[in-house]
Amino acid sequence: MSCLTDGELNMLNGNFLCGVVEGFYGRPWTTEQRKELFKRMNKLGMNTYLYAPKDDYKHRAYWRDLYSVEEADHLTTLIESAKENNITFVYALSPGLDITFSNSKEITCLKRKLEQISTFGCTAFSLLFDDIETEMSGADKEIFQSFAHAQVSVTNEVYQHLAQPTFLFCPTEYCATRAVPDVQNSEYLNTIGSKLLPGIDILWTGPKVISKRISIQSVEEISTVLCRPPVIWDNYHANDYDQRRLFLGPYDGRTPELIPYLHGVLLNPNCEYEANFIPLHTVAQWSKSNIDGVKKDIVISDSSVTSDIKLETEVDCSSDEDISSKLSESYQPRSALIVAINDWLTELYTKKVAAWVQPLAGPPESTQTVVNTCMTVNTCMTVTSTTNTCVPVSGITPLSAAANGIPQLSDSGGSYMQPTMNPVYSFGDCKPEVEPMDTIPTIGTATVTSTAAPVSSSIELELKPIDTDAENIDVEIKEAKCDEQTDSDTDTVMQIDSTEEIADKKDVEDKLSFEDMALLVDLFYLPFEHGRTAVKLLNDFHWLKTNARCLRSAKSKKTAASEEVTEWQSRAKTFEEQVNMVNVMADRLVKIPNRALVYDFYPYVWDIRGVLGLLSSFVKWLGSSKNHREAFMGGEQEPWVFRGGLTAEFQRMLPIDGAHDLFFNRPPDRPTCKTYTIRPFLPADEAAVYEVCRKTCDDGCDGTDVFPDQPDLIGDQLVGGFVTTSPEFCFVVEDDSGLCGYILAALDAKVYHKKLELGWTRAMCQKYPKPDVMENLSPAQEIIASFHNRTPLIPDSLHKRFPSIVKIDILPNRIEDNGIPKRMLACTLSALKANGSHGAFCEISVGDRHMLDLYTSLGFLCVPKEDMLCEDTVVLGRNI
């Protein structure tokens, strides 16, 4: 088959396709969201929607099954809605998992299925043969020369049977890295290009599954092989391979001069529908930026980073098309971002409820279970196994469910739940085959100035000074909640929260600004780069951690603050101001009436706020602590070395390599306005700490009545020693009503017990005389007697594995967020690790089931019996 000219292909295939692919794993978009999508696409000038959701099992796993009447009505409604908005609805079917190409009955099933779809009003179709076994069955080998010939035969037959409609085909080798041996010499791709009928478009993701750039040269190469310009299935904003990330940045890495070399671009976006406003808006701007179709053999990259840092290291790193030779005035990603944000602001205050629906068509009961979506990647009609994405660990058995005690800690000494990490690559390495699921985002920027923007026109946000008391060592970990969610009709599986009062009470200071949304975009930018504010936060924290040794030197010499110390304090204040900006933005975000957007964004914003709170607490601890060892502050750990997005990079900058499980917390089911503050302990907190201890000492319940005449007795026994002899490793948590929890620690348990014996215990013996009679003692008398008895020595085996000791208590009726105890522990363990500790243990009364459950949920496991301090206590430990 001879290759056709661009003009001939345009006459056959129509105009440039620009639209959206819904083909990801995860919570599906609802019918209402899809209908809204069609309206938005129409407004933006987009024209194509490809239907391939993995919640519709009859799309792939059970492709032979016809849709039921109810399902047919559902699809008919969607197709009609698309037509009303001038959107071409393309129905995709993926039969490649188990089809026998040579079986006429199979082909009949395929035709019958698509014929049914055509009765719904659908006039455009697609066959997807991605991610399937390439080994043909014995029957197929007897009929077809190759796998490509089999696919072409079936596709051409179906295409002609349907009277040659708009038709898209996804090859098994759908990107350059999957072409064997390469694009130009791939027998498969050459067969597809020469044998597939010319009216059928072919989908292509670019050089890689997720391509940082798509060059004209690469498109020309694949066009020659396929004998037609491809339609790009673009995974640039896809996030289903890493559910801790969102991508809100502008469409980039594809020059508008690509447009005449393509027949279309279909964007496979974020799983979260409301997160796709900017991606869709900017790709629509891009598609209209070269309407005349002028071909210019240049590659333009508007990102200042992409021309300097190449994380997606392709083999040909010196191609002229990978270097910007001139700037395009037609499409500038950062300028497009400004336009998109301004339009987005109006969407934020449109009242909308959060709703979720059941999957369209479930699998038959007698069939096998579908692939676990948490362990797969669907970035181009694909189900690809990935490396460990740090899935929250849930294998710890709660004490309340343990029949014979609690989980045991092995003697291996390693972290029992350290997640498997990907290899670390330096920026200087040139590693081929790098995908964003395997690599690290670069330092990116989002800086541009626009004179046309009605609001602040710079995404390079100027950090505005915020009143900060240098002596106030608190950091806010705020949970955003401004509404109460109500249960709705279970038949529609819809959750609706009241918004009327919120809309009526909006003040100017609570309204989201352009700067707020630009900040949000910066925090969740693009797969290969972070936004400017995110990079500044990373760099500032890394600098503060690395240079904190100057504070120790100044304190030891007791001299006036040097320039180095002054700079550290100034940068620490700036860091706190940046964190506060994030908190202000997040508080405003959850007050908007668009509740659908709030619920889509809340888990991500909640997560990054919590981590920034930990970093903030650690910075304040560095500024107030008298101790930290230079060995752990020397900057050996590169700040951006693992996958997982900005949140994961922040987490890994804390010195707790063996405690990443503490970062995996489920956000509250409902956005909450409750504000929690985790900060270092102050002497003024002692009375409140004693009160919390007293109110939780009776197996998590109030023990005030147990010690009516001596209210401080239990506090003197359990917490007084910590706050007196080791205050630098103590933290407290506050809510709006005051202190509601604490975590106390000592760096070296043996040194701590020695200090108790020499100082605190002696003082308690004087304060509380020994009972005259040692039989039939009351609870108070038993505690007093314990002061006069020698404290058991800490076994060397225990101290070797867990040199530090911790104690945590919280008021359960005051802390609604289950993630707060983990963040408190992460703060403390970071401080301990920064001083050389590698493990911590706690002592609990055998009968205190409440505290056993709490510590177990925090990753503590029971140590061997030979390491127990005494028979009536349980010792639990964990690595750092």
Side-chain angles (χ1 to χ4, degrees):
M1 180 182 295
S2 62
C3 295
L4 302 178
T5 65
D6 292 340
E8 292 172 324
L9 283 169
N10 284 335
M11 285 188 292
L12 285 171
N13 293 337
N15 297 325
F16 186 86
L17 305 181
C18 181
V20 176
V21 176
E22 183 186 351
F24 51 80
Y25 283 93
R27 190 180 71 208
W29 294 344
T30 67
T31 299
E32 293 306 314
Q33 286 173 331
R34 289 166 180 157
K35 291 180 178 179
E36 181 184 306
L37 172 67
F38 300 152
K39 294 179 181 178
R40 181 175 295 173
M41 290 172 63
N42 185 31
K43 183 178 180 181
L44 293 173
M46 305 173 87
N47 56 29
T48 305
Y49 166 79
L50 181 60
Y51 175 89
K54 296 304 182 286
D55 63 305
D56 182 354
Y57 294 95
K58 292 181 180 179
H59 151 77
R60 186 179 179 96
Y62 310 103
W63 61 269
R64 298 174 184 83
D65 297 348
L66 297 177
Y67 286 107
S68 66
V69 174
E70 181 181 356
E71 294 161 353
D73 290 341
H74 171 79
L75 283 172
T76 300
T77 300
L78 285 178
I79 293 169
E80 290 175 351
S81 177
K83 288 182 178 179
E84 291 171 0
N85 290 281
N86 302 312
I87 303 298
T88 299
F89 187 102
V90 182
Y91 177 86
L93 200 63
S94 299
L97 289 176
D98 58 1
I99 188 174
T100 302
F101 294 94
S102 58
N103 188 331
S104 60
K105 292 183 179 180
E106 295 277 77
I107 309 307
T108 300
C109 283
L110 189 57
K111 293 177 180 178
R112 183 182 62 178
K113 180 64 170 283
L114 295 181
E115 284 175 350
Q116 184 196 31
I117 302 301
S118 67
T119 64
F120 304 158
C122 185
T123 59
F125 303 90
S126 178
L127 287 181
L128 312 180
F129 291 102
D130 60 293
D131 255 25
I132 57 176
E133 293 293 335
T134 57
E135 184 68 23
M136 290 192 296
S137 66
D140 287 342
K141 288 180 180 179
E142 294 179 0
I143 302 297
F144 298 109
Q145 181 179 343
S146 69
F147 199 45
H149 284 88
Q151 292 180 5
V152 165
S153 174
V154 170
T155 303
N156 285 343
E157 183 175 346
V158 170
Y159 174 65
Q160 292 175 320
H161 177 77
L162 295 172
Q164 300 187 2
T166 299
F167 207 95
L168 285 79
F169 171 87
C170 175
T172 304
E173 296 179 7
Y174 54 78
C175 64
T177 56
R178 301 204 173 192
V180 181
D182 54 46
V183 171
Q184 200 167 26
N185 298 299
S186 168
E187 180 181 346
Y188 173 88
L189 289 176
N190 277 281
T191 300
I192 295 295
S194 62
K195 301 297 182 182
L196 203 65
L197 291 174
I200 300 174
D201 281 307
I202 300 177
L203 296 163
W204 184 252
T205 67
K208 302 183 183 299
V209 177
I210 301 173
S211 300
K212 182 178 182 181
R213 287 184 212 82
I214 299 178
S215 68
I216 293 176
Q217 180 182 2
S218 69
V219 172
E220 286 183 319
E221 180 183 38
I222 189 60
S223 297
T224 301
V225 172
L226 297 180
C227 297
R228 71 204 77 198
V231 173
I232 298 298
W233 174 306
D234 206 329
N235 294 307
Y236 197 49
H237 288 87
N239 73 328
D240 55 355
Y241 60 86
D242 191 344
Q243 285 288 287
R244 302 192 72 197
R245 305 182 70 183
L246 284 177
F247 301 119
L248 307 181
Y251 194 63
D252 198 0
R254 293 99 171 99
T255 170
E257 279 65 39
L258 274 175
I259 292 174
Y261 296 86
L262 302 171
H263 189 234
V265 170
L266 302 179
L267 189 66
N268 185 27
N270 296 282
C271 299
E272 293 75 13
Y273 171 77
E274 296 293 340
N276 293 314
F277 188 92
I278 289 175
L280 298 187
H281 199 291
T282 54
V283 77
Q285 292 183 62
W286 175 88
S287 70
K288 292 178 285 188
S289 61
N290 190 15
I291 298 177
D292 57 2
V294 176
K295 290 187 175 183
K296 300 175 183 178
D297 292 333
I298 58 173
V299 168
I300 301 168
S301 175
D302 188 55
S303 171
S304 61
V305 176
T306 54
S307 60
D308 299 324
I309 302 175
K310 296 176 180 285
L311 278 188
E312 187 184 49
T313 53
E314 276 125 9
V315 177
D316 183 10
C317 296
S318 59
S319 171
D320 292 340
E321 290 194 332
D322 290 334
I323 303 174
S324 299
S325 60
K326 79 172 206 176
L327 292 177
S328 169
E329 298 299 329
S330 59
Y331 178 77
Q332 298 281 347
R334 292 193 295 269
S335 297
L337 176 60
I338 287 177
V339 175
I341 291 178
N342 281 323
D343 287 351
W344 197 19
L345 286 170
T346 61
E347 294 279 333
L348 303 179
Y349 289 91
T350 301
K351 284 190 177 182
K352 194 185 300 182
V353 299
W356 296 270
V357 297
Q358 296 288 359
L360 177 65
E365 294 182 0
S366 60
T367 58
Q368 62 185 5
T369 303
V370 177
V371 179
N372 185 339
T373 61
C374 294
M375 297 303 294
T376 58
V377 170
N378 175 40
T379 47
C380 169
M381 313 71 75
T382 323
V383 187
T384 306
S385 295
T386 66
T387 53
N388 190 318
T389 41
C390 305
V391 177
V393 179
S394 58
I396 304 175
T397 306
L399 285 167
S400 57
N404 299 309
I406 57 179
Q408 298 294 304
L409 187 64
S410 68
D411 295 329
S412 61
S415 174
Y416 68 94
M417 55 169 53
Q418 173 68 13
T420 303
M421 297 300 179
N422 293 318
V424 180
Y425 298 124
S426 67
F427 288 131
D429 294 337
C430 187
K431 304 284 183 182
E433 311 298 332
V434 177
E435 300 285 1
M437 62 277 284
D438 304 318
T439 189
I440 316 118
T442 67
I443 303 175
T445 59
T447 306
V448 69
T449 302
S450 167
T451 58
V455 293
S456 178
S457 58
S458 176
I459 300 181
E460 181 177 5
L461 299 178
E462 179 182 359
L463 297 177
K464 300 178 180 179
I466 298 175
D467 293 336
T468 304
D469 184 358
E471 298 300 319
N472 180 21
I473 49 179
D474 67 284
V475 55
E476 294 181 348
I477 296 181
K478 297 181 179 178
E479 317 307 328
K481 172 167 189 171
C482 44
D483 65 279
E484 291 296 332
Q485 183 184 12
T486 60
D487 296 333
S488 66
D489 191 335
T490 57
D491 293 335
T492 60
V493 197
M494 180 179 293
Q495 299 180 17
I496 304 175
D497 53 285
S498 59
T499 61
E500 289 76 12
E501 294 183 4
I502 300 170
D504 294 336
K505 295 180 180 179
K506 288 196 301 286
D507 296 320
V508 175
E509 63 271 14
D510 288 335
K511 198 160 188 177
L512 280 165
S513 65
F514 177 91
E515 287 78 7
D516 290 326
M517 299 312 294
L519 174 58
L520 179 65
V521 172
D522 264 3
L523 296 176
F524 302 98
Y525 201 57
L526 290 171
F528 297 100
E529 58 182 297
H530 297 311
R532 179 183 180 277
T533 304
V535 173
K536 181 169 177 56
L537 285 165
L538 284 167
N539 288 336
D540 284 354
F541 181 78
H542 186 61
W543 187 92
L544 290 167
K545 186 180 71 167
T546 303
N547 292 277
R549 58 183 179 274
C550 69
L551 302 177
R552 179 188 177 201
S553 175
K555 290 176 181 177
S556 63
K557 296 178 181 179
K558 297 182 180 181
T559 57
S562 64
E563 291 184 5
E564 192 176 15
V565 172
T566 302
E567 181 184 4
W568 193 96
Q569 293 171 340
S570 175
R571 293 185 70 159
K573 182 178 180 180
T574 300
F575 181 80
E576 291 302 313
E577 291 171 352
Q578 294 176 90
V579 173
N580 188 67
M581 288 172 62
V582 174
N583 288 333
V584 170
M585 176 272 295
D587 284 340
R588 291 172 176 172
L589 179 68
V590 298
K591 296 176 182 178
I592 63 175
N594 186 339
R595 309 313 296 164
L597 188 147
V598 171
Y599 277 90
D600 270 357
F601 277 77
Y602 181 70
Y604 297 92
V605 175
W606 173 87
D607 196 20
I608 202 165
R609 290 184 75 181
V611 173
L612 284 172
L614 293 182
L615 269 62
S616 208
S617 292
F618 190 67
V619 167
K620 290 190 177 296
W621 175 82
L622 289 174
S624 62
S625 174
K626 299 178 181 178
N627 303 294
H628 47 267
R629 298 183 183 178
E630 186 173 343
F632 290 87
M633 295 293 146
E636 307 87 29
Q637 298 176 346
E638 195 65 41
W640 33 91
V641 294
F642 292 110
R643 59 173 291 189
L646 182 64
T647 301
E649 292 187 19
F650 282 139
Q651 293 168 354
R652 294 183 180 102
M653 292 177 76
L654 289 168
I656 45 176
D657 300 334
H660 287 298
D661 57 287
L662 296 176
F663 297 123
F664 300 114
N665 306 311
R666 179 179 177 178
D669 293 331
R670 304 171 182 176
T672 170
C673 328
K674 190 94 171 182
T675 299
Y676 298 100
T677 303
I678 297 176
R679 60 172 176 79
F681 169 84
L682 296 173
D685 299 322
E686 183 173 324
V689 167
Y690 268 57
E691 182 180 4
V692 171
C693 178
R694 185 169 60 252
K695 290 184 175 180
T696 57
C697 67
D698 189 10
D699 197 10
C701 300
D702 194 344
T704 302
D705 294 339
V706 180
F707 314 102
D709 300 325
Q710 296 165 312
D712 289 342
L713 178 59
I714 190 65
D716 285 336
Q717 182 196 32
L718 300 179
V719 301
F722 283 104
V723 299
T724 301
T725 65
S726 183
E728 64 270 27
F729 294 103
C730 298
F731 292 82
V732 297
V733 59
E734 295 175 315
D735 60 11
D736 296 336
S737 301
L739 196 145
C740 55
Y742 57 76
I743 181 166
L744 316 175
L747 178 63
D748 189 309
K750 282 197 170 185
V751 173
Y752 168 69
H753 275 259
K754 189 67 175 178
K755 288 182 178 179
L756 289 183
E757 185 177 346
L758 296 176
W760 182 254
T761 302
R762 291 183 179 179
M764 293 301 100
C765 289
Q766 295 178 0
K767 182 176 181 180
Y768 303 105
K770 185 176 181 179
D772 296 330
V773 180
M774 300 301 293
E775 296 179 356
N776 299 322
L777 299 178
S778 66
Q781 290 175 324
E782 290 179 353
I783 293 174
I784 293 173
S786 69
F787 289 130
H788 295 269
N789 297 329
R790 184 176 178 82
T791 304
L793 296 176
I794 298 176
D796 290 337
S797 57
L798 175 63
H799 184 261
K800 183 178 180 180
R801 295 182 64 187
F802 310 109
S804 302
I805 184 172
V806 299
K807 177 173 177 56
I808 183 170
D809 280 306
I810 60 172
L811 296 175
N813 61 327
R814 294 264 296 278
I815 296 183
E816 302 170 0
D817 184 351
N818 293 329
I820 293 300
K822 286 190 175 183
R823 292 173 183 164
M824 294 167 64
L825 182 60
C827 288
T828 304
L829 295 186
S830 295
L832 295 173
K833 182 66 177 287
N835 282 270
S837 179
H838 56 267
F841 73 92
C842 60
E843 302 174 70
I844 307 170
S845 172
V846 171
D848 198 340
R849 303 298 299 179
H850 169 78
M851 294 308 300
L852 287 172
D853 283 339
L854 175 60
Y855 280 106
T856 302
S857 70
L858 296 176
F860 285 84
L861 298 178
C862 186
V863 302
K865 292 183 178 180
E866 57 268 22
D867 290 338
M868 296 296 182
L869 298 178
C870 57
E871 294 183 356
D872 60 347
T873 63
V874 175
V875 177
L876 296 94
R878 69 159 296 151
N879 298 311
I880 302 177

